[in-house]
Amino acid sequence: MVSASLRLCYKFFTALLVITGLCYTQYKLNVFTKTRDNLPPLNPIKSNVHVQSLFFKYKLNLYLSDSLSFDRFIADHRNPKCQGREYPPNLPSVSIIIVFHNEPWSVLLRTIKSLIDRSPKYLLKEILLIDDFSTSNSIKYNLKSYLSETINDPRIKLTRFTSRIGLIKGRNYGASIATGNILIFLDSHVEVNIGWLEPLVSRLAEDTNRVVSPIVDLISPFDFSYNPVPDNFMSGFTWKLTHFMQPLPLREQKRRKDDPTIPINRSPTTYGGIFAIHRQFFFKLGGHDPDMSYLSYESIDLSLWVWCCGGNIEIVPCSRVGHIHRDLPYNFPAKKESIFLFNAGRIVETWLRRYKMFYYLAFPKTASIDRGNTVWRRSHQQALNCKNFTWYLTNVYPETGFPLYYQSIGQIEHTPSMLCFDLRTKINSDKSVTLKPCRLNHRPDSSYYLQIFIYTGNGTIRCDNWCLTGSKEMEKLTLTACDYSQSQIWIYSAKKSQLRHKSTNLCAHLPANNDGPILIQCNHSLLEQKFFIRDNFDWDEGNRLG
Ligand code: UDP
Ligand code: MN
């Protein structure tokens, strides 16, 4: 009886959750359909429950996708200067590799159709479709015949795996059967934009050790609108080694000022997993780490191989590819979190060297996770005479959130109240900072790192890629993406326990109501202005100044 009522209770809450979820999705669908662009009028969502259950399953508006043509129009979002640009003849041939698992039919076909329609025939040698054991009937039984009978393009080659191998092994397999000189890896839910291919290939033709990414625009999973993203970002990563779009460094902003169509040189990583590389160079680097499981972190790992072992990475703004940004819709044969930790751990062991301790101290949970054998990866580095992670950070990615040149690492405490700066507050919609009780050092949980702040050599105060920011105009201090601006430079006086904002000459001040620190006239006798920059993060292997 007790268990029956518990079950009832559980069912009730599940129903409540589903209804709440449906309302939320409905809300989002409505919001986004209002801002649609370049699309035929959306069929009014008649059978809402049907539409929404499709959305829940595929994490995209499949109802809408199915109603859009495979060769729908998308606007040309390139800088006008890119249009009409001429490219050299005799560019190397291209193999496109797309690994997919249970991609919905209309989404996959739109990807393929966009490639055929928007790639010059003389460049595109083949499209290798690697079906990673999809279970949907349409893909299992109809795709092969549809491709050969309806699309009927001999350049499309389908391989079907009979067990799940994951994206990483799938891409390596694709590379192994490719016959083009250039490999381009794409997801199975993209639409390439007009003129996307020549700008990529022509950059590669100049340098066999170069890797390039297009700008990856956002296709909304709600309304399938194509939304261009700004081109003044490069692709880097967070402390957790996940991709992070980082504002272009000032040197690069200056260099590109007169001509925004020139490639963003020195991107620390590829733009997510979408990139082009010479087949020979991919093999020389050892391809993707074949011991990584399913997917995640492989493009960060490969980017390190590229930079440290003699290559370079660029983002080419005249090439644009739209990608549906949606949550992962599929399951894995193993626990998702353990796959991600395993793959991250392989990068840590392969590359991080003395930063390994930094990583494990910041994320203590990861220290005990199995990461398989990485010895052979390191001997391959030696064989290729690769440079190390410190060289990479110093020369390729000095804007990194990893401690490079710094004065201290640890908590920043408002001493009288024993409250600390905490990255969690960046979820405040205005990104304003509110202080939280200081955590005990070395408490091994996943939120510990949120109070680790680096006071860097050039005066920023940052947790990961988020910098303490102030200005005369802004009432409250914020944690915003580090952008190298003066608004993020601080001078700390240990003697006065005072945090002075350099450009305004005002001081951090925590009002008694703890409604977040503000900038105000400096007065070191005020308790509200007593901050203590601790140096209590137990990692002292970096390039500490002074
Ligand atoms: N994929 C796959 N097998 C897997 C996981 C993913 O073939 O076990 C494919 C997926 O269909 C997609 C690509 O790998 O084409 C990248 O995955 P996804 O788009 O889900 O990753 P995200 O873009 O969200 O990082
Ligand atoms: Mn994707």
Side-chain angles (χ1 to χ4, degrees), residues 518-536:
I518 54 175
L519 278 183
I520 219 166
Q521 210 64 43
C522 297
N523 178 348
H524 75 264
S525 60
L526 290 178
L527 283 180
E528 287 89 339
Q529 295 187 13
K530 295 281 172 212
F531 287 89
F532 185 54
I533 290 197
R534 293 188 182 283
D535 199 2
N536 61 345

Side-chain angles (χ1 to χ4, degrees), residues 24-40:
Y24 178 63
T25 310
Q26 176 62 58
Y27 161 75
K28 278 203 155 179
L29 287 171
N30 284 338
V31 168
F32 278 81
T33 48
K34 276 186 195 132
T35 58
R36 283 164 58 249
D37 174 30
N38 311 324
L39 292 173

Side-chain angles (χ1 to χ4, degrees), residues 48-308:
N48 280 335
V49 172
H50 175 60
V51 175
Q52 288 156 7
S53 67
L54 286 173
F55 192 93
F56 271 111
K57 182 159 178 209
Y58 296 101
K59 303 290 191 286
L60 50 78
N61 187 348
L62 187 58
Y63 180 83
L64 174 60
S65 175
D66 288 349
S67 75
L68 297 169
S69 65
F70 295 157
D71 54 0
R72 69 162 176 160
F73 169 81
I74 49 175
D76 184 350
H77 286 288
R78 291 173 298 170
N79 183 302
K81 279 193 189 165
C82 299
Q83 298 165 15
R85 185 160 286 188
E86 307 247 322
Y87 294 96
N90 304 325
L91 290 172
S93 62
V94 171
S95 296
I96 287 172
I97 297 169
I98 296 176
V99 188
F100 61 95
H101 174 75
N102 281 350
E103 193 65 71
W105 179 267
S106 59
V107 176
L108 178 63
L109 265 297
R110 198 169 297 111
T111 301
I112 297 169
K113 203 69 178 95
S114 81
L115 284 166
I116 295 173
D117 292 349
R118 301 200 188 101
S119 311
K121 240 187 157 134
Y122 77 98
L123 276 183
L124 180 53
K125 188 167 187 198
E126 58 194 0
I127 301 175
L128 304 174
L129 298 176
I130 318 288
D131 175 6
D132 182 15
F133 194 47
S134 296
T135 51
S136 64
N137 288 338
S138 54
I139 290 187
K140 246 164 71 180
Y141 302 118
N142 304 338
L143 184 60
K144 200 173 172 59
S145 56
Y146 186 86
L147 289 173
S148 59
E149 287 157 25
T150 308
I151 303 257
N152 190 18
D153 186 323
R155 295 174 301 171
I156 303 177
K157 295 161 194 164
L158 174 68
T159 307
R160 179 169 159 80
F161 274 85
T162 50
S163 64
R164 184 85 176 271
I165 58 166
L167 169 76
I168 296 171
K169 294 181 181 67
R171 284 190 167 187
N172 280 348
Y173 172 77
S176 77
I177 60 165
T179 58
N181 294 318
I182 305 284
L183 309 177
I184 302 189
F185 295 100
L186 295 175
D187 282 5
S188 43
H189 37 257
V190 301
E191 283 166 76
V192 296
N193 209 319
I194 298 157
W196 78 290
L197 192 54
E198 296 97 319
L200 295 177
V201 180
S202 64
R203 291 304 294 176
L204 293 190
E206 288 176 10
D207 180 350
T208 52
N209 287 355
R210 185 172 282 159
V211 174
V212 291
S213 284
I215 290 202
V216 180
D217 290 324
L218 310 178
I219 297 176
S220 159
F222 301 103
D223 69 357
F224 278 76
S225 59
Y226 187 105
N227 305 286
V229 301
D231 63 3
N232 52 349
F233 285 82
M234 61 182 191
S235 181
F237 48 79
T238 62
W239 284 350
K240 282 188 177 163
L241 302 171
T242 53
H243 275 286
F244 183 82
M245 295 314 292
Q246 196 136 9
L248 280 187
L250 299 177
R251 60 171 160 80
E252 192 58 6
Q253 287 182 27
K254 243 187 242 152
R255 200 181 65 88
R256 298 183 70 249
K257 205 161 171 231
D258 295 332
D259 187 359
T261 67
I262 60 175
I264 293 160
N265 71 3
R266 226 197 289 168
S267 179
T269 66
T270 57
Y271 211 128
I274 295 186
F275 61 91
I277 185 170
H278 283 267
R279 185 165 45 94
Q280 294 299 344
F281 190 44
F282 186 71
F283 287 134
K284 183 179 162 195
L285 298 176
H288 281 309
D289 178 352
D291 288 349
M292 280 191 173
S293 54
Y294 301 101
L295 95 165
S296 70
Y297 296 96
E298 74 287 340
S299 51
I300 302 282
D301 181 56
L302 188 80
S303 299
L304 290 167
W305 282 94
V306 170
W307 274 115
C308 294

